[in-house]
Amino acid sequence: MAEKRMFSKTIINSDLFLDLPSSAQNLYFRLSLNADDEGFVNSPKKIMKYVNSQIEDMELLVENGFIKKFDSGIVVIIHWNLHNYIQKDRFKATIYQKEKQQLVLVGKKYVMKDECTQFVSNVDTDCVSILETQDSIEKNSEEQDRLELVGILNEIENEKVRAKFESFIKMREKNHSPLTPDALRILIKKAYGLTKSLANQDEAIIMILDRSIINNYKDIYPLENMEIGVANHFENINCEVEEMDESKEGIYKEWLNTDSIANLEVQRAYKNSLEEKFKKLYNEDIEVYHNRMLNS
């Protein structure tokens, strides 16, 4: 079972939630923190006692549609799937299958099956017909895939590399050949494998992805000799400025001097690295600093 839990501001910042007494809000947070990977809680009474909540707090959460309480004593967080998405390799299905079978997932909200008996043709209803469950499952699966793609991308440390993979994903979607989470993992592993021997791996990966995006390739391919030379030449520049002044003024001066680099690919790569260093050290975009210097 995952150890981390998240909360959607759409729910916890809503007037309906904020109008609840603080004791009921606190109970909701505690129940959510102790829920399993599908939003079920088997010890609500124990949690109520732990946080000094009253039965009225539980009733308010039920009445306002934040939790559902079963005859067995189990409760479920109604908007669990809006709050949390857990990657498949970390996900552990709930053991409370009897209670789960009484629910249907509408969008990201749990609804009792007997409450969802209206037909989809009624456009004013918040429920969907149980006859349309398969369509709902497919839509939920697509949403889960998108969330899992985001989770995989967030594991990439370099912001520019992460952004380039995002652009590649959008290109694939535009061409009606979207990447699955497993395919993205394979692609990322391949990208790092193709560039592991190169001087500047991050810039090499960006170059590989750029080429595939421009040409609408479904896959990525090794760099050619000239491109490898560009990546390695960039590393040589790094070596030459190893003792560079890393003050704001020093990095800014070096950033301005990149315009003198003849090779445009190397110029772009080196300029990007200086921008990252500036932001990391001084928590400011160098372009903003540049504009301020011009106007001072």
Side-chain angles (χ1 to χ4, degrees):
M1 186 171 74
E3 292 295 320
K4 295 181 180 179
R5 296 297 183 230
M6 300 183 72
F7 295 93
S8 169
K9 290 192 289 185
T10 302
I11 302 301
I12 64 172
N13 281 352
S14 66
D15 287 341
L16 186 62
F17 185 81
L18 294 175
D19 283 342
L20 294 173
S22 58
S23 55
Q25 293 182 33
N26 187 34
L27 177 58
Y28 181 77
F29 287 126
R30 286 291 181 174
L31 289 170
S32 299
L33 289 172
N34 286 278
D36 66 17
D37 288 350
E38 293 191 79
F40 291 84
V41 187
N42 69 348
S43 55
K45 290 182 179 179
K46 181 179 178 181
I47 294 170
M48 286 175 62
K49 184 177 180 181
Y50 180 76
V51 298
N52 260 346
S53 292
Q54 305 300 317
I55 189 65
E56 290 80 7
D57 296 318
M58 181 71 76
E59 290 174 351
L60 280 172
L61 293 176
V62 173
E63 289 170 8
N64 286 279
F66 292 105
I67 67 171
K68 167 64 183 175
K69 190 174 181 181
F70 296 95
D71 293 339
S72 61
I74 302 294
V75 302
V76 66
I77 310 300
I78 297 294
H79 300 94
W80 177 258
N81 293 281
L82 186 61
H83 291 313
N84 291 280
Y85 170 71
I86 300 170
Q87 294 184 17
K88 293 177 182 177
D89 58 342
R90 300 177 185 176
F91 175 81
K92 185 176 180 181
T94 185
I95 62 173
Y96 308 109
Q97 291 298 315
K98 180 180 177 182
E99 288 78 12
K100 183 181 176 181
Q101 288 171 11
Q102 300 176 49
L103 304 170
V104 62
L105 191 61
V106 179
K108 295 184 180 180
K109 179 180 177 182
Y110 284 128
V111 179
M112 295 296 290
K113 282 185 178 180
D114 57 9
E115 296 174 6
C116 274
T117 57
Q118 300 179 56
F119 290 99
V120 174
S121 57
N122 182 355
V123 294
D124 293 327
T125 182
D126 289 332
C127 292
V128 295
S129 168
I130 298 176
L131 298 175
E132 300 296 323
T133 300
Q134 184 59 41
D135 182 57
S136 176
I137 290 172
E138 290 175 0
K139 290 179 180 178
N140 287 330
S141 178
E142 291 175 3
E143 181 65 20
Q144 287 181 354
D145 278 352
R146 281 193 289 269
L147 290 170
E148 190 167 353
L149 289 174
V150 172
I152 295 169
L153 288 172
N154 286 339
E155 295 175 5
I156 301 174
E157 293 184 3
N158 186 287
E159 289 184 13
K160 294 186 183 295
V161 173
R162 183 166 62 248
K164 194 60 64 177
F165 271 108
E166 289 174 357
S167 297
F168 183 84
I169 290 172
K170 290 177 182 177
M171 180 272 291
R172 287 284 302 262
E173 290 176 347
K174 184 179 179 181
N175 292 335
H176 308 292
S177 57
L179 279 170
T180 64
D182 287 340
L184 178 59
R185 288 192 184 94
I186 293 171
L187 188 78
I188 292 172
K189 184 177 180 180
K190 181 178 181 180
Y192 280 96
L194 290 173
T195 57
K196 63 182 179 181
S197 62
L198 301 184
N200 191 282
Q201 191 174 32
D202 289 336
E203 287 300 324
I205 291 173
I206 289 172
M207 291 170 67
I208 285 175
L209 290 170
D210 270 338
R211 183 175 56 187
S212 290
I213 293 168
I214 291 169
N215 293 288
N216 290 314
Y217 293 154
K218 290 184 178 181
D219 202 354
I220 58 174
Y221 304 96
L223 292 173
E224 298 173 359
N225 289 336
M226 184 180 71
E227 293 170 315
I228 292 174
V230 169
N232 286 332
H233 185 56
F234 171 71
E235 182 65 18
N236 291 336
I237 290 179
N238 275 344
C239 292
E240 291 171 7
V241 296
E242 195 171 14
E243 302 302 324
M244 182 186 71
D245 177 9
E246 293 194 346
S247 65
K248 263 193 174 184
E249 295 77 11
I251 298 177
Y252 175 58
K253 182 179 178 182
E254 188 67 28
W255 182 77
L256 292 174
N257 289 338
T258 57
D259 292 337
S260 63
I261 300 174
N263 189 307
L264 293 180
E265 288 290 346
V266 175
Q267 180 191 118
R268 178 178 66 84
Y270 185 44
K271 199 164 191 173
N272 286 345
S273 73
L274 291 171
E275 289 170 354
E276 287 182 8
K277 179 177 289 187
F278 191 90
K279 188 169 185 177
K280 182 178 180 181
L281 291 176
Y282 300 106
N283 196 30
E284 182 180 10
D285 289 330
I286 202 167
E287 290 278 3
V288 175
Y289 181 77
H290 175 61
N291 292 332
R292 192 164 67 246
M293 294 295 290
L294 290 176
N295 294 325
S296 62

